Amino acid sequence: MTFAVSSLWRPTSLILLGLFLRCEAHRVNTEIQAGPLYRVVGSQLSISCSASGFADEKLKKDFEFRMVDPARPTVEINVISSADPDFSYSRFWSRAQTKAISITHVDPNSIIFEIKHLLKVDEGEYECTVINPEYILNGVYTAKTVVKVIDDSLSVTSSDSTTSLSFDEGESLTLTCQASTNTIQHVHLSLIWYLRKDGAQDAIPIISLDRDFTLTPGQGFEQRYKEEAISLDKLGEAEYRLKIAELALSDQGQIYCQAQEWIQDPDRSWYMIAQKNAEEITLTVKAKVVTDTSALGVNISAPLELQEGQELLLPCSINAQNLARRFFSLAWLWEGVELARIGPTGILTVKQEYSDREKDGELRATRTGNGKYLLRLKPVRTTHGGNYICRAWPEERGEDGNFKQGAAQDSQPQNVKISPTESELTVEMQTPVQTLLQGDRLRLVCKVEGVNGGLSIAWQRKSAQSLVYTSIISLSESGVTEKAEAFASHEVRVTRTSTKSFVFELDRVAPSDAGTYGCVVSETQNNGKTLSQSANVIVNSIDSLVKVSLKSRTPVVTLGTDVELMCKVLNHRIPVTLTWSLKTDDSNLNTILVLYSNGSISWSGDQHRYQVTVNNRADTVMHYLKILAASHREAGVYQCEVSVFLDNVHKKLPPSNPLKVMVQNPACKLALSSKPTITESINTDIQIDCKVTLRTSESSIYAVTWELQQEDGSRKTILSSDRNALITFGPQIKESHRQRIGMRRTDGPTFELTIRQARISDKGIYVCKVEEFLQDPQGEWFSLSYENSTTDLNVMELDTNLSIEKNEVEMNVSIAGDFSIPCHITQQSSNESQFQVTWFWQKDTEAKPIFTAYRNSTLQARIENVAVRYGHPLPGHFNLIVLQSNAENSGLYFCEVEEWLYSFAYGWRKVAVERSGNLNVNVDAEGIARAVSDPAQMANIWMAVFVVTMFISFFIIMVLVVKICKGKTSGGKKSANSLWMEPHRPESQMLSSESLKLEG
């Protein structure tokens, strides 16, 4: 079993391997002649195309040719197929059927594609496709090349005015030829002089100058070229001169020049794109006859019969010895009547009755060489028939310079018959009806038959609203075109492509060019016919075939939502370019993108913000523009606009309706909370909270502004924090105040405004203004909304609890005795309070300060000649003792206490003032102090005195004990101040009139 399986496997694998190797070995490749290929209108186009790599190289392959017109780059047109005779589209079908377009096999794998007479509309990109006869596809089966069709600008003319020359054997001949071209591409010209001998069918080259500027003599002229008897010289840019030193009898015949235009193809080969012949000149060479030097021979040659309207040429020649050194006069006579005469100096004289024909150019006489003369009559009429002769006179110049005429010598008469022509002219318009699209080229062909003589043609047009034809352009018999003034700006031309065809072309037609076009053909001879034919031309405007509309299902969207715009283009398969544009509130119309007809896109806007989709239908193309995550930048008025390639530019058509897209912010959910009222005392630190209780998004950020609305209605900004938390103070906040105001943000978020050491002026309504910011899809922050929250702040003065004893006491004091004026504070506002105490003495009605104990421990006596002693035994107890009183010291005494507190904002500040009761002191000789108050009041006074005395005694004993203890332990160091005494403030201080002079 194993052997059988392996036996089957081996041949199978060999077959598969062979097929694989065969596929690898045979890879098809198609090649076409490289382009661009420049060819002239009317010339023949040949393109080679070959295929290689097929398994069977001997099998005849079929080929197809297609073409893309530059005017419609998206449409492929079938040209011809070697396999299918019905393959061609209408543009090429008729020429393919008549073999004007053909495919010819060179061998089984290569062909030659030919167009015999190239038209302007044949310009484009050609694609050669080989039809695959095999079952597998492996390789390249198509190849492309570009064909450019250019106008024929080659011009060849003979510089000699005569078409018939007669020379004697041995005379020299000089002929010139003008050859030039206006082709833009780089081309070379070659020029050949030909001679068609009498009786010969083919012309033979005399001498040629090829495209590489190489001179080559023709067969039979080599020896004469070597002897320099024949030469060809180029004079200037376009003139070529042929010289034959001595004419031979074999040189007789038709002589002409031929110019050829050559262009080099991309494969480096040269190709002849145009060839033209100049008008032939009949050259007659007569055998040399040896005669008497005085003998004079005159010859005339003329056609025996002409048709009416043709040109009559009457060449005459004089035969004589020493011809170049002699002078002659020669005249042409018709039926014995002289027509024209050329004198010995070459001056032409025309009879009066024929002078008008000379002015019109119908009669011309010239001397073409030594003894050679030519008369032209055109057009001839039947009345011009008859006998013509040439008459010559030898002229001898005398010493005075005057000529003496000798005996006349006539030529043999030559009878010319002029036959009238019977016109058989017919005219046919090749395409009687044409429908064009705006921007196309109108091409009308007028065919003529039965042409006998010269023709002129005029093209006319009438619109649908007019009954009268308007002239457009005309072509005369001599080839001169004349354009009507109304069509001077139009690109219109008329050409005679053959003797039977007149072509009218109008480039880039507009709807206004529609109407009926007529060609009017006229025979130029007498009694000639004039016939006409017409064609109806319809021109559809682009506007009528292309319509644009714009809509959207959701023109109003929330920020960050996609928006889809639909631009509907109704057309008839016309390649268009579509432009999307946006106009915002603060800008002009801005282009977003341009979608060209070939599918390419040019972006002007942000490509990442949009998506483009195209949906092709039967006669409709839907263009979709999706705005991704729309932001406020994308809000505005949108339009779509189409343009077509017309007149070598993109012509814009009416745009679509404007469509406004609105992008709305999301609904704001911002909510705030704060205490409605805060009451605090002066000099305290106050914190006002503004809390965000509800937000629109977790990614929201905020800008906060704190404002103060005071009682007088004024409003000022305290400080603000932008969304980047940059804090700035309001312009009305002084620099000194900014140090005690601050703001911070905590979780929640909560915005805290802190006022340190509050002042009365800080009270008012505080407004917390919060602005919520969100980030749009482009990463830019935008304001969503504002919300406010208010707090009424009331700053109160401190509660002052200062209180002192206010008992009314009367005291009698003996002269030279001491009396005490106590000042006892029973209650104070703060433990940090400091006091200033002033004692007053009032006698009669005026109260005078006696003594002041300032809060900084400074003492000041206020009245002269009063000895006092100040004491501050206990906190809140102040005492002033008047020493050595006299009668003048009688009066009312009281103390006034000022309470001071410290704050960071104001420093030390007086917060309260209290006055004690009055002490009425009477100083007399008895020295008895009597209380005037009731017994209860006196008891209180004595009780207070006893308590104070006991307290002072106890205090002194305690101080002495402390000092004794410290003296034992410190080795006699100086004792410190008592703990009961305030720093820098002594227990008592004696002030006497001797030591302190008091000011009144």
Side-chain angles (χ1 to χ4, degrees):
M1 178 61 68
T2 303
F3 175 77
V5 171
S6 61
S7 301
L8 289 173
W9 168 249
R10 289 173 182 170
T12 304
S13 61
L14 291 174
I15 292 172
L16 293 174
L17 180 60
L19 290 174
F20 175 76
L21 292 175
R22 182 179 180 185
C23 291
E24 287 299 314
H26 298 287
R27 178 175 176 82
V28 175
N29 185 40
T30 305
E31 294 182 342
I32 195 171
Q33 187 173 347
L37 303 176
Y38 289 91
R39 300 295 184 261
V40 171
V41 173
S43 66
Q44 177 176 305
L45 170 66
S46 297
I47 301 176
S48 61
C49 181
S50 63
S52 60
F54 285 102
D56 189 356
E57 294 288 347
K58 295 182 179 180
L59 178 65
K60 184 177 181 180
K61 314 300 185 302
D62 284 308
F63 290 80
E64 296 174 346
F65 264 79
R66 293 176 179 82
M67 175 259 206
V68 175
D69 193 329
R72 298 186 178 183
T74 59
V75 180
E76 273 195 343
I77 304 171
N78 292 355
V79 182
I80 194 170
S81 170
S82 63
D84 183 5
D86 296 324
F87 176 80
S88 308
Y89 281 3
S90 58
R91 181 189 286 196
F92 298 103
W93 188 84
S94 60
R95 286 192 282 170
Q97 297 299 314
T98 59
K99 303 299 181 182
I101 298 178
S102 63
I103 288 180
T104 305
H105 275 85
V106 179
D107 56 47
N109 300 295
S110 61
I111 55 98
I112 296 293
F113 168 75
E114 288 188 351
I115 299 179
K116 294 190 182 299
H117 298 285
L118 203 58
L119 305 178
K120 188 68 175 176
V121 294
D122 294 334
E123 179 174 290
E125 184 181 61
Y126 285 79
E127 180 183 72
C128 171
T129 303
V130 61
I131 300 176
N132 184 21
E134 300 175 348
Y135 294 102
I136 60 173
L137 290 174
N138 184 24
V140 179
Y141 293 84
T142 63
K144 296 180 180 180
T145 192
V146 175
V147 175
K148 299 286 188 179
V149 181
I150 59 179
D151 292 328
D152 184 4
S153 61
L154 181 62
S155 173
V156 184
T157 57
S158 176
S159 301
D160 298 280
S161 58
T162 180
T163 58
S164 179
L165 297 174
S166 179
F167 289 90
D168 290 332
E169 181 183 5
E171 288 187 320
S172 64
L173 172 67
T174 300
L175 297 175
T176 56
C177 183
Q178 298 280 346
S180 61
T181 180
N182 292 327
T183 304
I184 298 176
Q185 284 70 34
H186 179 67
V187 294
H188 287 188
L189 293 183
S190 63
L191 189 125
I192 309 171
W193 283 95
Y194 282 98
L195 172 64
R196 183 183 293 107
K197 296 186 178 182
D198 291 343
Q201 184 175 359
D202 297 327
I204 60 173
I206 302 172
I207 191 171
S208 64
L209 179 66
D210 65 14
R211 63 175 181 270
D212 296 323
F213 305 102
T214 302
L215 282 172
T216 305
Q219 187 176 3
F221 295 91
E222 296 90 338
Q223 187 61 34
R224 297 168 71 182
Y225 174 73
K226 290 180 182 180
E227 296 173 354
E228 299 183 356
I230 295 177
S231 64
L232 174 58
D233 300 314
K234 184 177 181 182
L235 308 176
E237 291 293 328
E239 189 171 358
Y240 299 83
R241 182 177 64 190
L242 171 68
K243 280 187 177 183
I244 301 178
E246 295 182 0
L247 288 171
L249 294 176
S250 59
D251 296 333
Q252 182 167 296
Q254 305 296 320
I255 191 169
Y256 63 92
C257 68
Q258 179 186 87
Q260 297 173 346
E261 188 175 9
W262 298 78
I263 193 168
Q264 193 173 30
D265 287 339
D267 62 2
R268 312 303 295 173
S269 64
W270 287 91
Y271 186 86
M272 185 177 66
I273 59 174
Q275 175 178 293
K276 285 187 179 179
N277 297 339
E279 189 177 1
E280 294 184 356
I281 299 173
T282 302
L283 176 63
T284 303
V285 182
K286 298 179 181 179
K288 184 182 294 186
V289 179
V290 180
T291 59
D292 184 20
T293 58
S294 62
L296 182 65
V298 181
N299 296 315
I300 187 173
S301 61
L304 298 178
E305 187 173 355
L306 290 174
Q307 292 285 336
E308 185 178 16
Q310 291 183 331
E311 183 179 35
L312 172 61
L313 298 176
L314 296 172
C316 290
S317 61
I318 300 174
N319 296 322
Q321 291 293 321
N322 298 323
L323 192 62
R325 300 185 182 91
R326 299 175 64 184
F327 295 94
F328 299 93
S329 294
L330 184 130
W332 287 268
L333 289 84
W334 168 67
E335 295 295 336
V337 178
E338 184 175 316
L339 301 175
R341 178 185 295 198
I342 296 178
T345 59
I347 297 175
L348 174 64
T349 304
V350 180
K351 290 297 183 181
Q352 183 64 35
E353 54 267 31
Y354 297 103
S355 60
D356 291 339
R357 297 194 66 182
E358 181 198 11
K359 293 178 182 179
D360 296 337
E362 296 181 1
L363 185 150
R364 287 188 296 170
T366 57
R367 179 182 176 185
T368 60
N370 289 332
K372 310 298 180 183
Y373 303 87
L374 178 65
L375 176 70
R376 293 172 179 264
L377 288 174
K378 180 182 180 181
V380 294
R381 305 179 181 89
T382 54
T383 56
H384 294 160
N387 290 322
Y388 288 84
I389 63 169
C390 287
R391 179 172 294 167
W393 294 269
E395 300 280 354
E396 294 291 338
R397 173 177 282 178
E399 293 180 358
D400 57 358
N402 294 323
F403 288 96
K404 180 179 180 182
Q405 194 175 76
Q409 179 67 42
D410 291 345
S411 67
Q412 294 294 323
Q414 185 74 44
N415 186 268
V416 179
K417 182 179 180 182
I418 310 297
S419 303
T421 58
E422 248 184 70
S423 176
E424 297 178 356
L425 181 67
T426 60
V427 179
E428 176 189 5
M429 186 72 76
Q430 199 170 51
T431 309
V433 178
Q434 281 200 38
T435 300
L436 302 173
L437 182 64
Q438 181 182 357
D440 287 347
R441 175 188 295 167
L442 171 62
R443 189 175 189 272
L444 298 173
V445 180
C446 205
K447 305 284 285 187
V448 294
E449 296 289 345
V451 179
N452 291 320
L455 293 178
S456 64
I457 186 170
W459 289 89
Q460 302 173 335
R461 171 188 168 272
K462 68 175 180 178
S463 62
Q465 297 79 22
S466 176
L467 299 177
V468 180
Y469 277 97
T470 302
S471 178
I472 302 174
I473 193 171
S474 62
L475 179 66
S476 68
E477 177 188 8
S478 59
V480 177
T481 59
E482 184 177 355
K483 189 188 299 186
E485 186 175 351
F487 288 82
S489 61
H490 289 60
E491 293 187 26
V492 60
R493 56 192 168 276
V494 58
T495 54
R496 188 172 186 175
T497 57
S498 67
T499 56
K500 297 181 179 181
S501 296
F502 293 89
V503 178
F504 170 82
E505 290 180 310
L506 177 61
D507 291 343
R508 295 185 290 277
V509 295
S512 58
D513 294 324
T516 303
Y517 285 76
C519 68
V520 181
V521 180
S522 301
E523 294 179 317
T524 56
Q525 65 268 26
N526 290 339
N527 302 321
K529 283 184 179 180
T530 297
L531 300 177
S532 65
Q533 285 292 327
S534 62
N536 290 324
V537 176
I538 301 168
V539 181
N540 292 320
S541 67
I542 299 293
D543 298 359
S544 66
L545 298 180
V546 180
K547 301 293 182 183
V548 186
S549 61
L550 180 62
K551 63 180 180 178
S552 174
R553 295 186 180 93
T554 55
V556 181
V557 296
T558 303
L559 186 80
T561 307
D562 293 348
V563 185
E564 187 174 62
L565 308 180
M566 295 169 285
C567 181
K568 185 178 182 181
V569 181
L570 296 172
N571 67 24
H572 296 272
R573 295 296 178 185
I574 299 171
V576 300
T577 295
L578 184 130
T579 301
W580 285 98
S581 57
L582 166 64
K583 183 178 182 181
T584 56
D585 293 337
D586 56 352
S587 69
N588 296 324
L589 197 64
N590 296 322
T591 298
I592 301 172
L593 64 95
V594 179
L595 179 60
Y596 295 98
S597 57
N598 60 1
S600 61
I601 300 179
S602 174
W603 286 92
S604 298
D606 187 354
Q607 184 175 352
H608 302 289
R609 307 297 305 154
Y610 303 94
Q611 281 185 355
V612 178
T613 309
V614 181
N615 186 6
N616 286 300
R617 300 175 185 173
D619 289 330
T620 304
V621 180
M622 295 297 297
H623 293 264
Y624 298 91
L625 178 68
K626 180 179 281 189
I627 307 170
L628 303 176
S631 67
H632 292 290
R633 283 189 181 182
E634 286 75 50
V637 178
Y638 285 80
Q639 276 189 314
C640 58
E641 183 180 35
V642 298
S643 60
V644 296
F645 193 72
L646 190 65
D647 295 341
N648 294 322
V649 296
H650 284 280
K651 178 185 178 183
K652 292 185 178 181
L653 302 183
S656 70
N657 55 290
L659 179 63
K660 187 171 185 179
V661 173
M662 300 176 62
V663 179
Q664 298 179 337
N665 291 334
C668 181
K669 300 178 182 178
L670 180 64
L672 307 175
S673 70
S674 60
K675 288 184 179 180
T677 304
I678 295 177
T679 301
E680 290 289 347
S681 297
I682 194 170
N683 295 326
T684 59
D685 292 343
I686 301 174
Q687 178 178 306
I688 305 175
D689 293 341
C690 181
K691 184 176 182 180
V692 177
T693 58
L694 188 62
R695 66 181 75 182
T696 305
S697 171
E698 291 297 323
S699 61
S700 298
I701 61 174
Y702 307 92
V704 182
T705 301
W706 286 93
E707 296 179 346
L708 172 60
Q709 182 177 336
Q710 296 177 319
E711 293 179 354
D712 59 358
S714 62
R715 196 164 186 170
K716 63 181 178 180
T717 299
I718 301 172
L719 56 74
S720 60
S721 172
D722 63 13
R723 67 170 188 267
N724 297 318
L726 178 64
I727 296 178
T728 56
F729 286 92
Q732 295 175 303
I733 304 301
K734 298 180 180 178
E735 187 66 32
S736 60
H737 292 181
R738 295 181 183 183
Q739 297 177 358
R740 63 187 189 90
I741 300 174
M743 187 185 76
R744 68 169 184 164
R745 170 178 170 166
T746 61
D747 292 338
T750 299
F751 304 99
E752 299 176 355
L753 177 67
T754 302
I755 305 173
R756 297 177 182 87
Q757 296 297 312
R759 306 175 182 179
I760 296 296
S761 60
D762 293 332
K763 67 179 180 179
I765 297 175
Y766 283 79
V767 181
C768 170
K769 183 184 295 184
V770 178
E771 182 180 5
E772 187 175 19
F773 286 86
L774 290 179
Q775 200 169 26
D776 67 10
Q778 294 189 3
E780 293 194 3
W781 293 94
F782 66 93
S783 174
L784 186 60
S785 180
Y786 287 92
E787 286 295 331
N788 295 335
S789 179
T790 61
T791 298
D792 190 357
L793 175 63
N794 186 19
V795 180
M796 305 288 292
E797 288 280 2
L798 287 174
D799 292 335
T800 57
N801 298 319
L802 179 64
S803 177
I804 63 176
E805 288 184 354
K806 296 186 179 182
N807 295 324
E808 297 288 336
V809 178
E810 184 173 348
M811 179 182 294
N812 289 326
V813 179
S814 61
I815 294 176
D818 300 337
F819 62 90
S820 175
I821 308 172
C823 192
H824 180 206
I825 298 172
T826 60
Q827 189 175 357
Q828 61 189 52
S829 300
S830 171
N831 293 330
E832 303 295 328
S833 298
Q834 292 186 9
F835 304 95
Q836 175 177 306
V837 183
T838 302
W839 281 267
F840 290 86
W841 170 48
Q842 181 177 346
K843 192 171 185 178
D844 297 332
T845 59
E846 182 182 0
K848 295 182 180 180
I850 304 172
F851 184 85
T852 299
Y854 294 97
R855 59 178 180 81
N856 59 0
S857 302
T858 302
L859 303 178
Q860 181 183 7
R862 309 293 292 272
I863 296 179
E864 295 182 359
N865 302 322
V866 177
V868 295
R869 184 173 61 206
Y870 167 72
H872 180 28
L874 293 173
H877 291 266
F878 302 91
N879 192 30
L880 184 69
I881 300 174
V882 179
L883 304 174
Q884 301 295 318
S885 61
N886 55 48
E888 293 296 326
N889 298 138
S890 299
L892 293 178
Y893 291 85
F894 60 89
C895 68
E896 186 178 82
V897 178
E898 296 179 1
E899 186 177 21
W900 291 72
L901 283 176
Y902 181 81
S903 68
F904 290 104
Y906 299 101
W908 287 97
R909 189 167 64 94
K910 181 170 65 177
V911 296
V913 178
E914 285 290 330
R915 173 178 168 174
S916 68
N918 295 326
L919 175 63
N920 190 2
V921 177
N922 184 24
V923 179
D924 56 19
E926 297 179 3
I928 301 174
R930 299 187 300 269
V932 296
S933 58
D934 56 19
Q937 290 177 339
M938 291 302 297
N940 290 335
I941 292 172
W942 286 112
M943 181 61 69
V945 171
F946 176 76
V947 171
V948 170
T949 304
M950 291 301 294
F951 181 81
I952 293 171
S953 300
F954 178 78
F955 178 76
I956 293 171
I957 292 170
M958 289 300 296
V959 169
L960 292 174
V961 171
V962 170
K963 286 185 176 182
I964 292 170
C965 292
K966 285 187 177 182
K968 291 180 180 181
T969 58
S970 59
K973 288 183 180 180
K974 186 180 288 186
S975 62
N977 290 333
S978 171
L979 296 175
W980 294 100
M981 300 173 65
E982 292 186 22
H984 309 292
R985 183 181 299 170
E987 170 67 23
S988 63
Q989 200 167 23
M990 178 69 71
L991 298 175
S992 64
S993 58
E994 291 78 16
S995 61
L996 180 64
K997 295 295 183 177
L998 301 180
E999 295 179 1

